[in-house]
Amino acid sequence: MSLGIAEFDRVLGGGLVPGSLVLLGGEPGIGKSTLLLQVCSHVARDHGTVVYVSGEESPQQVRLRAERLGVSGERILLLAETDLDAILQHLEATAPMLVVVDSIQTMSLDGVTGAPGSLSQVRECTVALMRFAKQRTVSVLLAGHVTKEGAIAGPGTLEHIVDVVLYMEGERHSAYRLVRGVKNRFGSTDELGVFEMVANGLVEVENASLVFTGGKGHAIGSVIVPVLEGSRPLLVEIQALTTPAGFGPPRRVANGFDVNRLLLIAAVLTKRARMRLSDQDVIVNVTGGLRIAEPAADLGVALAIVSSLRDRPITPGLVVFGELGLGGEVRGVSQPVRRLGEAGRLGFAGCVLPSESKLGASDGQGLQLLKVSSLSQAVARAFERDGGPSGEPAD
Ligand code: TYD
Ligand code: MG
């Protein structure tokens, strides 16, 4: 069943499977209720009756939000209730297409120990909703608050029970919201949906690459990398800043990137490209609040660091991808063609990529392909056009 929001459908693996139980987790205030109400609106319009169970907000509050979102409320039944037995009775009587429970932490069952939100209540309520979903073949969407540690009411308890776990993330100061698959019994888990929170709700961001590259400026210390989020290629800006370290060991800080990976890259830069980092603090930042887990970003991180260290931008119009080995070798990564496609689509001129990338004749997308097999070669290629003294040996 399509939920009428393509970004959400994609994260679900193409839509909602009837009878499935889906958990949408996220910190309070991130936008879960907003997104779920928008989903209700579309499903009510396209498919049939929807029940929205609100255990957190009064009907007046939900109504205010609905008005703000332009949700008419037709075919949406609002139930302000936290007693799950009562809720299930209502659901049996209405036979809806979709049920939204906001949030699982407010629900409770008679006969189960603990206050609402306690581990036992959350678990038993989820099990009861799962049973309902399967028996009646009705899909249920659950909102769940995430604790500071990133777990929904106790490590993993809920995740094991439900069919699909999605997380909604975003940075406080940014309007962008990411919905990410964490578990999916029906599809891939590494899909990503991108939204922007505006005055009347969440809107889909189709051209997400433009968000994460902030246009496509090539400042000093900035490199654009085509990463893959599930099946989706995304251009992401990686920034690095090197500054003289004070006394003590130099610091390595990474935002949106694995700090251990950064340590590895710094070591390879030092040993294999003769970059002097031992007296430099290094900060790496992925812009737009994205987290990159792909080794394909290694070479981009390395070149961003070199750019900051040299105080020179890399050649304008270039994107960079490739995995770095400890020997300073640049290794091939998956799906080079999709990465090049996204760069070409957004008007980039060239790409530094692993020489072992297998490409067909027309796969270059009109981009100038700078194939490299080592880090020092990549450094030479990425800064080639503006020449100037470098002091680093090319191989
Ligand atoms: P909400 O959906 O209530 O978050 P959650 O259910 O995850 O706790 O979203 C709350 C935030 O979203 C709130 O700070 C206001 C903002 N917001 C908008 O910017 N525009 C909107 O149209 C709506 C409904 C909320
Ligand atoms: Mg809410």
Side-chain angles (χ1 to χ4, degrees):
M1 179 167 75
S2 165
L3 297 180
I5 302 176
E7 291 289 304
F8 204 51
D9 283 344
R10 181 183 39 234
V11 183
L12 285 167
L16 193 59
V17 173
S20 62
L21 183 60
V22 176
L23 174 66
L24 177 64
E27 289 179 16
I30 197 78
K32 300 181 294 296
S33 301
T34 304
L35 183 58
L36 292 174
L37 198 54
Q38 288 180 267
V39 165
C40 286
S41 162
H42 290 121
V43 172
R45 183 196 61 203
D46 298 341
H47 303 286
T49 305
V50 175
V51 176
Y52 184 97
V53 183
S54 177
E56 294 200 340
E57 290 161 318
S58 67
Q60 289 75 18
Q61 282 173 303
V62 178
R63 188 202 175 88
L64 277 177
R65 175 181 288 122
E67 276 168 7
R68 186 170 171 182
L69 299 176
V71 173
S72 76
E74 206 173 321
R75 294 212 282 188
I76 303 179
L77 304 177
L78 175 63
L79 190 55
E81 178 64 79
T82 58
D83 174 354
L84 195 60
D85 285 321
I87 292 166
L88 289 171
Q89 264 178 25
H90 278 290
L91 295 180
E92 296 288 348
T94 33
M97 286 300 295
L98 175 74
V99 178
V100 169
V101 176
D102 188 0
S103 64
I104 188 63
Q105 274 97 350
T106 57
M107 299 295 134
S108 66
L109 271 172
D110 263 358
V112 174
T113 53
S118 65
L119 212 63
S120 50
Q121 283 289 0
V122 165
R123 189 176 50 227
E124 293 310 315
C125 289
T126 307
V127 168
L129 284 165
M130 186 68 160
R131 203 176 307 128
F132 166 80
K134 299 293 174 232
Q135 276 171 1
R136 303 281 163 213
T137 326
V138 173
S139 300
V140 178
L141 298 180
L142 291 180
H145 294 304
V146 171
T147 62
K148 276 277 179 304
E149 295 77 40
I152 303 171
T157 27
L158 273 191
E159 279 93 334
H160 289 308
I161 305 170
V162 302
D163 296 310
V164 179
V165 180
L166 309 176
Y167 275 94
M168 194 165 188
E169 325 168 325
E171 291 191 355
R172 283 261 163 262
H173 57 268
S174 156
Y176 294 105
R177 298 288 177 265
L178 310 178
V179 177
R180 197 183 282 281
V182 177
K183 164 184 172 176
N184 193 343
R185 286 198 177 130
F186 315 112
S188 153
T189 51
D190 37 26
E191 295 291 342
L192 181 79
V194 185
F195 297 88
E196 184 177 0
M197 182 66 93
V198 298
N200 53 354
L202 288 156
V203 294
E204 302 177 70
V205 176
E206 273 152 35
N207 228 333
S209 284
L210 292 176
V211 171
F212 297 114
T213 56
K216 54 177 167 175
H218 259 66
I220 291 170
S222 155
V223 171
I224 308 292
V225 176
V227 296
L228 288 176
E229 286 283 351
S231 60
R232 168 185 228 181
L234 262 187
L235 294 184
V236 172
E237 181 183 7
I238 294 179
Q239 295 181 316
L241 186 64
T242 57
T243 52
F247 294 109
R251 291 185 304 158
R252 309 285 182 241
V253 180
N255 290 318
F257 191 74
D258 178 22
V259 73
N260 288 319
R261 202 82 203 161
L262 171 57
L263 291 175
L264 181 151
I265 292 167
V268 174
L269 278 168
T270 304
K271 183 85 175 176
R272 308 293 177 196
R274 316 263 168 84
M275 295 292 156
R276 188 170 165 161
L277 290 171
S278 58
D279 57 356
Q280 301 283 321
D281 289 340
V282 180
I283 302 168
V284 169
N285 185 42
V286 178
T287 62
L290 203 73
R291 254 196 346 254
I292 307 181
E294 267 204 311
D298 289 355
L299 191 57
V301 171
L303 292 180
I305 294 171
V306 174
S307 166
S308 179
L309 199 61
R310 290 180 164 184
D311 218 9
R312 290 205 337 246
I314 70 164
T315 307
L318 282 189
V319 297
V320 175
F321 67 86
E323 178 178 348
L324 266 188
L326 289 181
E329 76 276 19
V330 174
R331 301 182 170 192
V333 299
S334 65
Q335 311 221 34
V337 179
R338 296 189 92 144
R339 299 175 200 269
L340 290 170
E342 180 69 359
R345 195 173 71 80
L346 287 168
F348 280 82
C351 181
V352 178
L353 73 164
S355 56
E356 60 189 61
S357 307
K358 291 192 182 57
L359 299 176
S362 59
D363 289 341
Q365 312 278 339
L367 295 169
Q368 187 192 6
L369 301 182
L370 305 172
K371 292 190 166 186
V372 298
S373 55
S374 72
L375 176 57
S376 37
Q377 220 175 39
V379 171
R381 285 296 189 82
F383 292 89
E384 188 165 65
R385 273 187 246 164
D386 61 352
S390 68
E392 282 85 34
D395 56 3

